[in-house]
Amino acid sequence: MTAPSSNTPCAPTLDLQKVPVSELKGVGPKLAEKLAAIHIETVLDLLFHLPFRYQDRTRITPIGSLRHGVEAVIEGEVMGSAIVFGRRRSLLVKIQDGTGITSLRFYHFSAAQKNSLNPGARIRCFGEGRWGKSGVELYHPEYEIVGATGKSLEDHLTPIYPTTEGLHQARLRAMAEQALVMLATSKALPDLLPKELSQELGFISLEKALNYLHRPPVDAVLSDLEAGTHPAQSRLAFEELLANYLCLRRLREVADRHAAPSLQNKNSLTTKLQASLPFSLTTAQQRVSQEIAGDIARQTPMLRLVQGDVGSGKTLVAVMAALHAIDNDYQAAIMAPTEILAEQHYLNLEPMLLAMGISTVYLSGKIKGKQRTNVLQAMESGQAQLVVGTHALFQDGVNFSKLGLIVVDEQHRFGVHQRLALREKGNHDGTYPHQLIMTATPIPRTLTMSAYADLDCSIIDELPPGRTPVNTILTPDARRHEIIERISNACRDGKQAYWVCTLIEESEALQCQAAEATYAQMQQLLGDLNIGLIHGRLKAKEKAEIMQAFKAGNIQLLIATTVIEVGVDVPNASLMVIENPERLGLAQLHQLRGRVGRGKQESHCVLLYKSPLSDVAKERLSIMRQSNDGFFIAEKDLEIRGPGEVLGTRQTGLMEFKMADLMRDSHLQPRVKLWSEKIRTSHPELIVPLIKRWLAGSEQYGHV
Ligand code: ADP
Ligand code: MG
């Protein structure tokens, strides 16, 4: 740890972040391995590994007051025990304490156990009351035989920690106790929050908060603790969110010191583009384009996030920015997170820009051999003015001649780390390209604050005119034949339809199989229609041909996998059937549905679900029926599925907090923001220690 802050008069002698758990008594290599599996490697990790619930073993409940579903300690005298043969053999022990009688039931028991529970023995048990044959009983309680005097009870609530197989609560408790002692004697976690902050928000010290949460006093409000809203918990969450926010702001500060090419607003290409379009830009597109033009004219790199609902025309805004770069003799790159999305962009943009005399190339991992050599050569010589591709754009051995702008589509699938890595890749002799980040789906505000505090944000809050809201219907798959009938009628009326096959797994191969099976079935049932099939395993050229045929109206029904999620634009298609919609996230459903409702006629989306639906699935799908607003849907998705899913970072573990819960603690965010600004001006010396304490691997963020 670096120099102590003004709040810490005596320098800590011990850095708990550096003390491995193996230094604790009783922790050998095997246990250390188990702990590592749940991300506990140091004593600090252990202190931050907080209970998710508690048991009250501080007092004895009279047997007469036992309640179903409530955990309790009881103490009483054994009246008798017997082995009973019900559906399963069990040991039944009756005990009484003068207020009532209850039964203990054990399904696994030894002869010794049975013999020790003789009539007259006094036992103390802990368990959860459950309705049984003789009233409220305890199933498999923990118990001990107590002497006449009785042992003392716990003097604080008993913590239950998140754990893993083979790691017992008693072990975790014993280790936490040791860690707390180490904390108390070493004073190794000085308070890093400014005094005025703690005073204003009524925060206790970090050490006190940790002690409280590992061993809450008898009178602690259990319901608050279990909801995670206890002041001691909010205090920790606040500090963590603060550290996260400060880290992102710091990254931005570092970026602001970099140089970037000033891309002047020459307007010749953008004017040309607009003249070639059959429509004019929406007011929102114009506003956001101007914000971008202002940013890239400066000599520091733009870092801007553009949000807009599906179909709001983000691509055009990105292209306008790219044209500014090209107008200034710089190259621009558009990067998408998947091959399919990148291809779609390329197929859409290449002809449009070629008409303006601009050369566009495509690069992905799939481009190999001579073709690859040519593309790389064109990029390096500067002959390629726009480069569209996947991550492959920023791999070793790929060089730009003069890159002025990077556009990243659907950035929300990446975390801060990737964003930084990308930024560094663009570094050319200390000059950085401008960065424009577009999210395919809106991100709720609270998430923007914690996940994107290093970016400026623009919102395209308007759809192009002439869109009709899509009418969404939920139908169980038992009524599949009715839906097929409906497609048949619609297509005979000159309309076009999509049938989307989905699968739980992102496995493209399996999705294709499902689509192929549906295709075969539809050809049998609807033989008089022209039916097409499109999926990710087709070659780019084949996909383009099929889409072209669908656009031209030569295909009436298109069976597809989720490849059509983005970038497909056929206004005459007014009906979409999505199979197994319960398997997809709301944002993805919203994206898919955005493929219809692009023309004049009324559009319908049928969510053909597999019954029975779980309650959560029902709730989620009914949100799709209620709303066509991507921002609203994203908020709901966040409530139901949590930030990891919405940000697309669940698998990667990015944006995972130790204490904070972005939903539960969202009300803290405005104060987090306010105080981080105050700390930046009045207590800058606290920033690095805070970041180091809370952000594992913060070295990777560089410059910290
Ligand atoms: P998204 O924001 O979902 O990426 P796109 O950029 O793919 O949306 O645009 C969706 C469709 O809307 C495209 O066909 C595009 O040509 C069209 N479009 C974009 N801007 C306008 C506009 N101002 N007026 C009419 N259509 C537009
Ligand atoms: Mg898009």
Side-chain angles (χ1 to χ4, degrees):
M1 194 169 272
T2 48
S5 72
S6 55
N7 283 43
T8 53
C10 51
T13 50
L14 193 60
D15 184 351
L16 296 180
Q17 214 154 354
K18 299 231 168 75
V19 182
V21 276
S22 54
E23 301 228 336
L24 297 175
K25 251 185 284 162
V27 184
K30 259 211 163 128
L31 182 54
E33 210 171 284
K34 278 199 182 122
L35 289 166
I38 50 172
H39 309 293
I40 301 176
E41 288 173 17
T42 68
V43 172
L44 187 72
D45 293 338
L46 196 56
L47 287 169
F48 283 171
H49 187 72
L50 292 177
F52 67 101
R53 68 182 190 91
Y54 300 88
Q55 292 170 341
D56 186 353
R57 301 179 184 226
T58 63
R59 63 204 155 81
I60 290 171
T61 300
I63 289 176
S65 317
L66 272 181
R67 296 216 319 270
H68 173 77
V70 178
E71 290 179 327
V73 181
I74 57 170
E75 197 172 305
E77 191 185 305
V78 175
M79 299 163 69
S81 60
I83 294 176
V84 292
F85 298 88
R87 252 189 316 151
R88 278 172 71 193
R89 185 170 162 267
S90 64
L91 173 67
L92 192 69
V93 181
K94 276 204 176 335
I95 67 168
Q96 63 89 15
D97 67 353
T99 70
I101 298 174
T102 186
S103 301
L104 317 178
R105 272 179 203 275
F106 299 93
Y107 289 108
H108 311 279
F109 58 93
S110 62
Q113 209 175 350
K114 179 180 178 321
N115 293 338
S116 68
L117 293 166
N118 281 326
R122 272 196 83 69
I123 63 170
R124 183 182 292 166
C125 320
F126 177 83
E128 183 183 315
R130 272 212 256 163
W131 281 117
K133 282 207 184 79
S134 64
V136 179
E137 307 178 341
L138 299 183
Y139 287 68
H140 269 286
E142 296 172 37
Y143 74 92
E144 56 187 338
I145 312 245
V146 288
T149 46
K151 268 175 50 181
S152 61
L153 288 152
E154 298 278 330
D155 58 0
H156 55 84
L157 299 181
T158 306
I160 308 291
Y161 295 97
T163 186
T164 175
E165 213 184 313
L167 177 56
H168 296 294
Q169 290 297 330
R171 252 295 155 68
L172 277 164
R173 265 172 227 152
M175 287 189 296
E177 288 290 333
Q178 283 188 64
L180 288 173
V181 170
M182 204 181 266
L183 173 63
T185 50
S186 66
K187 291 279 161 213
L189 277 185
D191 239 29
L192 297 176
L193 298 182
K195 286 211 176 56
E196 61 273 27
L197 186 163
S198 297
Q199 258 161 24
E200 193 178 307
L201 302 183
F203 284 165
I204 52 176
S205 73
L206 177 63
E207 191 180 327
K208 271 201 184 131
L210 289 174
N211 268 294
Y212 191 100
L213 294 172
H214 283 286
R215 323 165 36 118
V218 181
D219 61 355
V221 184
L222 259 182
S223 54
D224 284 356
L225 283 172
E226 295 189 356
T229 54
H230 188 279
Q233 288 161 319
S234 300
R235 149 99 191 53
L236 296 177
F238 189 93
E239 185 171 322
E240 184 173 30
L241 290 172
L242 187 72
N244 175 67
Y245 195 88
L246 284 167
C247 181
L248 290 174
R249 294 304 303 164
R250 191 180 172 82
L251 290 173
R252 179 53 188 260
E253 223 171 54
V254 171
D256 283 347
R257 279 187 235 126
H258 291 153
S262 160
L263 304 175
Q264 293 303 314
N265 199 346
K266 298 192 177 164
N267 273 338
S268 72
L269 289 174
T270 48
T271 312
K272 217 163 151 183
L273 173 76
Q274 289 187 63
S276 77
L277 293 174
F279 49 75
S280 50
L281 296 188
T282 63
T283 315
Q285 283 172 316
Q286 285 173 28
R287 174 174 41 78
V288 173
S289 281
Q290 273 160 18
E291 284 165 357
I292 294 168
D295 282 355
I296 60 181
R298 279 196 282 273
Q299 286 165 351
T300 51
M302 164 173 75
L303 285 173
R304 186 170 285 278
L305 175 72
V306 171
Q307 297 197 55
D309 207 343
V310 50
S312 62
K314 291 183 289 288
T315 315
L316 206 50
V317 168
V319 170
M320 300 268 287
L323 292 181
H324 279 308
I326 295 167
D327 237 349
N328 283 270
D329 291 325
Y330 277 88
Q331 292 167 298
I334 298 185
M335 186 177 86
T338 69
E339 177 94 25
I340 289 158
L341 296 186
E343 260 172 31
Q344 299 275 356
H345 275 314
Y346 176 72
L347 295 174
N348 285 338
L349 299 180
E350 198 270 341
M352 184 161 114
L353 296 186
L354 187 63
M356 297 168 61
I358 294 169
S359 129
T360 307
V361 297
Y362 177 70
L363 185 69
S364 79
K366 272 198 194 158
I367 307 287
K368 297 230 160 74
K370 179 131 179 37
Q371 200 184 355
R372 187 178 182 86
T373 316
N374 289 343
V375 170
L376 292 182
Q377 212 274 323
M379 288 169 67
E380 212 162 326
S381 68
Q383 186 250 323
Q385 292 161 291
L386 177 67
V387 186
V388 179
T390 59
H391 279 94
L393 291 186
F394 295 95
Q395 271 160 6
D396 290 340
V398 178
N399 298 306
F400 288 86
S401 145
K402 231 177 140 192
L403 182 62
L405 170 77
I406 307 176
V407 179
V408 186
D409 200 6
E410 276 215 274
Q411 167 79 17
H412 74 293
R413 300 217 175 148
F414 309 135
V416 179
H417 290 109
Q418 284 101 325
R419 213 146 74 217
L420 281 176
L422 184 62
R423 225 174 271 172
E424 277 312 313
K425 284 274 182 193
N427 181 0
H428 190 71
D429 297 336
T431 303
Y432 287 74
H434 297 283
Q435 261 192 52
L436 184 63
I437 289 142
M438 304 193 296
T439 64
T441 46
I443 306 167
R445 242 179 66 80
T446 45
L447 284 192
T448 316
M449 246 193 247
S450 14
Y452 296 105
D454 57 332
L455 306 178
D456 298 311
C457 184
S458 296
I459 298 182
I460 308 182
D461 51 4
E462 184 187 355
L463 292 180
R467 300 272 165 88
T468 40
V470 181
N471 174 32
T472 301
I473 311 147
L474 287 178
T475 307
D477 61 356
R479 289 170 53 197
R480 192 182 166 98
H481 58 281
E482 286 173 38
I483 302 302
I484 294 173
E485 179 84 35
R486 193 166 165 171
I487 290 178
S488 164
N489 291 336
C491 290
R492 268 189 211 102
D493 283 350
K495 294 173 184 160
Q496 287 173 282
Y498 296 97
W499 184 293
V500 186
C501 303
T502 67
L503 281 176
I504 295 178
E505 303 177 57
E506 287 276 296
S507 156
E508 187 58 33
L510 289 175
Q511 266 201 43
C512 296
Q513 274 177 24
E516 271 159 9
T518 306
Y519 177 66
Q521 190 199 24
M522 294 298 166
Q523 275 194 318
Q524 228 171 33
L525 295 174
L526 301 170
D528 55 331
L529 296 185
N530 287 326
I531 305 176
L533 170 67
I534 190 165
H535 55 65
R537 291 220 280 188
L538 298 179
K539 294 208 170 64
K541 192 159 157 282
E542 293 169 319
K543 271 185 271 185
E545 279 165 12
I546 290 171
M547 283 320 299
Q548 206 42 51
F550 191 51
K551 249 184 179 155
N554 299 333
I555 290 175
Q556 293 162 287
L557 170 62
L558 184 62
I559 314 294
T561 59
T562 48
V563 295
I564 59 149
E565 188 182 332
V566 185
V568 172
D569 191 36
V570 180
N572 191 48
S574 59
L575 178 60
M576 173 176 281
V577 180
I578 304 178
E579 265 195 278
N580 306 314
E582 68 277 8
R583 292 171 174 177
L584 300 183
L586 291 186
Q588 203 182 358
L589 282 174
H590 182 62
Q591 274 288 331
L592 279 171
R593 183 175 60 180
R595 302 302 116 207
V596 290
R598 291 172 169 245
K600 297 272 173 300
Q601 77 267 41
E602 192 175 15
S603 292
H604 302 275
C605 177
V606 180
L607 302 177
L608 194 60
Y609 64 86
K610 189 162 243 93
S611 41
L613 278 184
S614 70
D615 286 347
V616 175
K618 248 182 234 158
E619 191 188 340
R620 292 178 51 219
L621 293 183
S622 74
I623 287 162
M624 294 304 296
R625 201 173 44 188
Q626 275 167 40
S627 176
N628 274 293
D629 175 352
F631 281 89
F632 175 81
I633 290 171
E635 289 282 354
K636 289 291 169 189
D637 211 14
L638 177 62
E639 274 171 33
I640 301 172
R641 292 196 312 158
E645 296 284 351
V646 175
L647 288 171
T649 55
R650 186 176 55 83
Q651 294 90 340
T652 57
L654 295 164
M655 287 308 294
E656 262 180 18
F657 291 89
K658 297 185 177 85
M659 310 289 167
D661 174 317
L662 291 180
M663 276 310 286
R664 184 192 65 210
D665 300 317
S666 63
H667 66 286
L668 297 175
Q669 288 287 10
R671 275 171 290 170
V672 165
K673 193 171 166 189
L674 184 82
W675 277 100
S676 79
E677 294 312 323
K678 287 192 195 174
I679 288 174
R680 275 151 54 86
T681 47
S682 313
H683 301 281
E685 76 286 356
L686 295 174
I687 297 175
V688 169
L690 271 169
I691 294 175
K692 283 199 166 166
R693 175 178 289 172
W694 288 97
L695 282 87
S698 53
E699 315 78 55
Q700 289 174 46
Y701 289 82
H703 318 287
V704 164

